[in-house]
Amino acid sequence: MTVSLCVIAYNEEAALPGLLRDILAQDFPAGQMEIVLADSASTDGTKALMQAFAREQGGRFWGVRLCDNPRKSQ
């Protein structure tokens, strides 16, 4: 079984590191988790944090996908 965990964020630079740490701390097998990170045209460092997570942790999970959400809808 594979699960997808989706994070949709707008200007969450302050909160995102804690959320990403929580994702890494999950006891569900990382190889069965897909992480989808969607940035809603943030004007802070949110997208850079998402990109760093994908680059550094991408091989740990079944997949890490980065998406742009320019309409800012959830």
Side-chain angles (χ1 to χ4, degrees), residues 4-58:
S4 296
L5 191 151
C6 302
V7 176
I8 303 165
Y10 173 72
N11 286 349
E12 294 293 343
E13 179 179 25
L16 194 57
L19 177 63
L20 297 174
R21 279 192 301 274
D22 289 345
I23 291 171
L24 293 172
Q26 294 297 310
D27 60 4
F28 193 83
Q32 294 176 303
M33 291 176 67
E34 172 190 36
I35 311 298
V36 179
L37 304 171
D39 175 59
S40 297
S42 297
T43 58
D44 64 359
T46 298
K47 188 169 187 175
L49 288 171
M50 290 177 167
Q51 291 168 329
F53 182 85
R55 185 175 53 253
E56 296 164 9
Q57 303 297 333

Side-chain angles (χ1 to χ4, degrees), residues 55-67:
R55 185 175 53 253
E56 296 164 9
Q57 303 297 333
R60 176 182 185 150
F61 295 96
W62 179 79
V64 177
R65 292 183 33 201
L66 297 172
C67 305

